[in-house]
Amino acid sequence: MAGKIKQMIDTIIAQRAKDNPMLAGVIKTKLMLKGIDPNKFTPQSDDDPAILAKLDVVAKELK
């Protein structure tokens, strides 16, 4: 299923930032530091199991 990575990134940012653009920027930076560039993925991007696993870990860390 293409686009799952983009969907997960958007969900993480939306849940954590709660419509605060500054927090959204901070979360995007944290993702980049963990090796995931949010700007790189689109809804048509192929899903990489390694990136999905990293996003699962990040999502659990940020809760």
Side-chain angles (χ1 to χ4, degrees):
M1 175 180 164
K4 185 161 174 76
I5 291 175
K6 175 70 173 164
Q7 182 183 12
M8 286 182 72
I9 290 171
D10 291 344
T11 301
I12 290 169
I13 292 171
Q15 287 177 348
R16 299 300 301 162
K18 296 185 169 103
D19 295 326
N20 184 333
M22 183 178 281
L23 284 177
V26 169
I27 294 166
K28 286 181 181 182
T29 302
K30 285 184 178 184
L31 289 171
M32 291 177 111
L33 290 171
K34 294 191 181 285
I36 303 167
D37 185 358
N39 299 322
K40 177 181 169 186
F41 298 100
T42 65
Q44 292 78 30
S45 297
D46 290 333
D47 292 334
D48 180 0
I51 300 294
L52 289 171
K54 280 185 185 180
L55 283 171
D56 281 336
V57 171
V58 169
K60 289 175 185 173
E61 287 176 359
L62 292 177
K63 284 189 178 185

